Amino acid sequence: MKKKFKFKKSVKVIFFLLILLVICYFSYNYLLKDEKINNDVSNNEQESDELTNKLSSLGFSSSDIVVLKENLSDNELNLIDEYNENIVKFVSNSYFEIDNLERYIVYMEENDYSVDEVITYVNVGIDKPFYTDIKTISDPNNLLVLCNKFNALPSDYEPDDLTEVGSSGIYMRKEAAENMYQMVLAAQSDGLKINLVSGYRSYDYQVDLYARHVRERGKAEADRVSARAGHSEHQTGLAMDLSNDWSLEKYFEDTELFKWLSENDYKYGFILRYPKDKEYITGYDYEPWHYRYVGVEVATVIHNENITYEEYVMKYLSN
Ligand SMILES: [Zn+2]
């Protein structure tokens, strides 16, 4: 009887000790966590103070620092290692990219552009000479592919859905061909004849074409009016040169057909790819005859905003 009682008592004691142990364990962890949070907060504050000190020792005013901190992460702020009066203006632009900071500063100093223009042009890449830092396009089948003097198509790229536009003997990628055909019919019903002069062109064809331009005009002029192989939009199967007669000349801009295209091309997904006075962005002389298929939605934005395709890509497709 006595023994049994003792046994019951010791079970109670063990049970009690166990409960105590569990309580101690959780309390200890709770205190530990609290301390860790406190440490993190004070670390962050300390880092933030260090950044403020660094920026102010570079020459930024306290109001500059407020703007910088509003727009950049700590990691980005750490990458600023010099003072320039334009930095605060740059970071407020929503297309600002920290990796381009040095180029913005240099381009701003060398040109008479606004902050927004500098950001746009540097992001597009035109602060560098054409045909430098060339990237090979990784997704040439994308209907929104950007092919220009900085972005080249692989030499073996050939679209696999080339389709004849009507019975012209001229080919484009299927979606572009169908829309081009619709545009030809629409112009026709308005009494205007679109002559299709040149659509898809292979890499090898472009090699010969560019070489001929170099022979006839010299390299600098050839680069202005013709694309080096891999850099021609015609290799994408999304571009078309068209004409009221069969020539590709500047006077095309004075024709009824050009006026009609300016008002209607976007409804069929086409844009004028090398507009007047935009040579410094596109890299090509004004070509009133060269149209590029980008789809109705994108063409409408470009039409409404009156921007080049390079600017569209920078604004809507990068990042
Ligand atoms: Zn063309």
Side-chain angles (χ1 to χ4, degrees), residues 51-62 65:
L51 267 172
T52 306
N53 289 340
K54 187 194 128 182
L55 291 168
S56 105
S57 72
L58 287 173
F60 291 96
S61 70
S62 45
I65 295 170

Side-chain angles (χ1 to χ4, degrees), residues 49-262:
D49 284 348
E50 273 170 26
L51 267 172
T52 306
N53 289 340
K54 187 194 128 182
L55 291 168
S56 105
S57 72
L58 287 173
F60 291 96
S61 70
S62 45
S63 61
D64 286 347
I65 295 170
V66 171
V67 178
L68 291 173
K69 287 191 165 184
E70 260 170 20
N71 290 285
L72 302 178
S73 69
D74 283 2
N75 285 340
E76 289 174 325
L77 286 169
N78 264 319
L79 295 171
I80 295 179
D81 52 13
E82 61 172 330
Y83 174 79
N84 183 288
E85 56 180 348
N86 294 315
I87 293 179
V88 176
K89 296 179 204 158
F90 291 141
V91 301
S92 310
N93 181 297
S94 51
Y95 303 109
F96 173 84
E97 287 174 31
I98 189 77
D99 295 341
N100 290 342
L101 179 59
E102 198 55 46
R103 285 164 60 199
Y104 298 139
I105 293 172
V106 173
Y107 205 55
M108 188 82 187
E109 276 161 9
E110 287 174 351
N111 296 279
D112 200 14
Y113 292 136
S114 68
V115 166
D116 290 353
E117 284 170 325
V118 165
I119 300 252
T120 301
Y121 300 155
V122 169
N123 287 3
V124 165
I126 59 172
D127 58 321
K128 295 177 284 184
F130 290 120
Y131 292 124
T132 55
D133 278 351
I134 295 166
K135 292 188 193 79
T136 300
I137 295 164
S138 57
D139 55 347
N141 273 315
N142 188 333
L143 283 175
L144 294 180
V145 63
L146 175 68
C147 174
N148 61 14
K149 290 180 177 177
F150 298 114
N151 298 282
L153 293 160
S155 58
D156 59 356
Y157 175 68
E158 188 188 320
D160 56 12
D161 60 350
L162 289 171
T163 305
E164 189 175 5
V165 183
S167 51
S168 60
I170 290 182
Y171 291 77
M172 296 183 92
R173 291 191 56 194
K174 190 166 184 291
E175 193 177 317
E178 285 167 1
N179 281 280
M180 178 55 76
Y181 189 59
Q182 290 307 314
M183 190 162 81
V184 168
L185 293 180
Q188 203 169 45
S189 71
D190 284 345
L192 295 164
K193 171 102 174 78
I194 294 181
N195 288 313
L196 306 177
V197 179
S198 182
Y200 168 72
R201 300 202 294 250
S202 71
Y203 184 91
D204 291 343
Y205 183 96
Q206 197 65 29
V207 169
D208 292 342
L209 188 64
Y210 177 74
R212 200 176 74 210
H213 280 294
V214 172
R215 274 199 308 277
E216 288 171 1
R217 307 159 184 256
K219 202 164 177 169
E221 186 60 13
D223 274 337
R224 230 164 62 79
V225 300
S226 168
R228 296 183 193 175
H231 297 272
S232 172
E233 231 182 21
H234 286 277
Q235 195 192 335
T236 65
L238 299 167
M240 178 68 77
D241 294 337
L242 45 82
S243 175
N244 59 317
D245 44 34
W246 291 100
S247 64
L248 301 175
E249 300 288 343
K250 293 276 193 316
Y251 69 71
F252 182 56
E253 73 169 328
D254 299 320
T255 62
E256 273 296 302
L257 179 56
F258 180 77
K259 188 165 172 282
W260 186 91
L261 288 164
S262 312

